């Protein structure tokens, strides 16, 4: 049977991974001179504690090449096909490292690497759908076609008042360019073609709730919505209530985002993610 691999920036729970048979390779989170393995020696709660106390901004690095090679080698004892689905190559180099690891097994098996162009809930959604298709007996080619069709129908939008993280993560000027001419404004950010880029400008956090709600309401049809939050806040509950009242028949989740996405957004961002369906 085809095996699925992803990385920890998908923010998938261990229980869900076990249920779906998905193997997760941890990305590395660096604070100053110390590096942690996401989900292994640092979890979301501990990461947030470090982030709230540390003056250093964290960075995210891909898994070591050897970690991916070891994961593939272990799985290949029970299969000859692996589908490895990872966070956007425009955010970090995990997809590139996975491609390098896959080359180690050329001629012996087939390892297909997919750049999801997403992170966190978006990547999780892609992996879940791939794992479910694999369970039903779909081939690698069929699943890759499925993913290429559905990835453009997953949308992620965020509001954050702290742009330092986005500026630090190889996006100089991306957040500032929309606010320089409007003092006091902050950008509404969108995941677009694998990058986190400014979409609109918001003056207050209250207005951001309106804009996030409006973003969801603009869809003529969607299958699933998630509210993405860092630390829990009253804003999350307010947005949940508005969406639940407006779309009582739709699945609505609240998803805390993990360390990988927090290195771009900080602790207190709030966002929505929409799977439009295909």
């Amino acid at each position: 049977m085809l095996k699925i691999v992803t990385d920890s920036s998908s923010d998938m729970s261990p229980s869900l991974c076990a249920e779906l048979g998905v193997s997760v390779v941890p990305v590395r989170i660096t604070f100053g001179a110390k590096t942690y393995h996401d989900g292994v020696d640092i979890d979301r709660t501990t990461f947030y504690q470090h982030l709230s106390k540390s003056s250093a901004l964290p960075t995210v690095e891909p898994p070591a090449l050897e970690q991916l090679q070891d994961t593939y080698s272990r799985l290949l004892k029970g299969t000859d096909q692996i589908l490895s689905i990872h966070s956007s190559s425009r955010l970090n180099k995990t997809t590139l490292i996975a491609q390098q690891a896959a080359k180690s097994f050329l001629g012996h098996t087939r390892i297909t690497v997919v750049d999801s162009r997403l992170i966190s809930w978006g990547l999780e959604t892609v992996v879940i759908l791939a794992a479910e298709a694999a369970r039903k007996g779909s081939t690698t080619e069929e699943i890759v076609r499925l993913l290429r069709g559905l990835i453009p129908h997953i949308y992620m939008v965020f509001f954050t008042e702290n742009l330092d993280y986005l500026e630090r993560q190889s996006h100089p000027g991306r957040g500032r360019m929309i606010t320089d001419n409007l003092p006091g404004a902050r950008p509404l950010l969108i995941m677009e073609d694998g990058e986190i880029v400014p979409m609109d400008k918001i003056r207050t956090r209250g207005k951001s709730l309106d804009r996030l709600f409006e973003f969801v309401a603009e869809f003529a049809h969607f299958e699933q919505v998630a509210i993405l939050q860092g630390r829990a806040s009253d804003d999350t509950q307010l947005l949940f209530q508005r969406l639940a009242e407006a779309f009582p028949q739709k699945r609505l989740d609240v998803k805390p985002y993990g360390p990988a996405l927090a290195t771009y957004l900080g602790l207190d961002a709030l966002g929505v993610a929409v799977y439009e369906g295909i």
Side-chain angles (χ1 to χ4, degrees):
M1 180 178 170
L2 172 68
K3 298 295 185 181
I4 306 292
V5 176
T6 191
D7 60 83
S8 62
S9 67
S10 64
D11 294 334
M12 294 181 69
S13 68
S15 60
L16 179 59
C17 291
E19 177 186 343
L20 295 174
V22 173
S23 297
V24 178
V25 181
V27 297
R28 294 173 291 178
I29 306 295
T30 298
F31 278 97
K34 189 164 181 61
T35 297
Y36 301 89
H37 293 82
D38 182 22
V40 177
D41 51 12
I42 190 169
D43 58 16
R44 181 173 56 86
T45 301
T46 306
F47 171 84
Y48 281 3
Q49 290 171 349
H50 284 340
L51 196 57
S52 64
K53 297 175 182 177
S54 175
S55 59
L57 295 180
T59 58
V60 59
E61 301 292 338
L65 177 64
E66 294 77 12
Q67 283 184 297
L68 278 155
Q69 289 173 328
D70 289 347
T71 298
Y72 293 159
S73 180
R74 172 177 56 81
L75 293 175
L76 290 172
K77 294 176 181 178
T79 186
D80 62 353
Q81 292 193 59
I82 293 173
L83 182 58
S84 203
I85 309 168
H86 297 286
S87 56
S88 173
S89 60
R90 295 193 173 186
L91 296 182
N92 63 66
K93 296 181 178 180
T94 301
T95 296
L96 175 62
I97 300 300
Q99 290 169 340
Q100 293 175 352
K103 290 179 181 178
S104 306
F105 300 91
L106 286 176
H108 302 284
T109 186
R110 181 176 181 184
I111 302 175
T112 303
V113 178
V114 172
D115 178 357
S116 73
R117 306 207 306 268
L118 297 162
I119 194 171
S120 190
W121 184 89
L123 174 55
E124 177 187 50
T125 300
V126 171
V127 172
I128 289 172
L129 293 172
E132 290 175 345
R135 278 187 164 186
K136 295 176 182 177
S138 297
T139 65
T140 299
E141 292 82 0
E142 290 170 338
I143 297 174
V144 170
R145 284 197 297 271
L146 171 69
L147 300 188
R148 295 197 192 287
L150 71 87
I151 286 171
H153 295 277
I154 296 175
Y155 304 85
M156 301 175 70
V157 176
F158 311 96
F159 174 78
T160 179
E161 295 179 277
N162 189 339
L163 300 176
D164 294 339
Y165 299 93
L166 190 63
E167 291 281 307
R168 172 70 180 273
Q169 293 285 11
S170 301
H171 291 72
R174 288 284 174 86
R176 303 295 178 190
M177 67 183 182
I178 200 170
T179 60
D180 284 347
N181 296 325
L182 188 59
R186 288 293 180 268
L188 194 69
L189 305 168
I190 188 168
M191 192 89 188
E192 185 174 88
D193 198 23
E195 296 184 89
I196 300 173
V197 298
M199 170 187 168
D200 200 353
K201 50 186 178 289
I202 306 292
R203 278 193 177 276
T204 68
R205 193 172 181 92
K207 289 292 186 182
S208 73
L209 296 182
D210 293 338
R211 191 65 187 89
L212 292 173
F213 175 83
E214 290 165 3
F215 180 82
V216 177
E218 287 170 359
F219 284 87
H221 167 81
F222 60 84
E223 292 192 10
Q224 188 176 351
V225 172
I227 297 174
L228 305 179
Q229 66 172 5
R231 290 186 292 197
S233 70
D234 293 339
D235 289 343
T236 301
Q237 186 60 33
L238 290 171
L239 183 57
F240 183 92
Q241 290 174 350
R242 289 185 66 180
L243 289 170
E245 289 172 2
F247 307 104
Q249 304 304 319
K250 297 295 185 180
R251 177 178 170 183
L252 177 59
D253 298 319
V254 175
K255 175 83 173 182
Y257 58 79
L261 184 53
T263 61
Y264 294 91
L265 301 179
L267 290 171
D268 297 312
L270 183 65
V272 291
V274 180
Y275 172 44
E276 189 176 23
I278 55 176

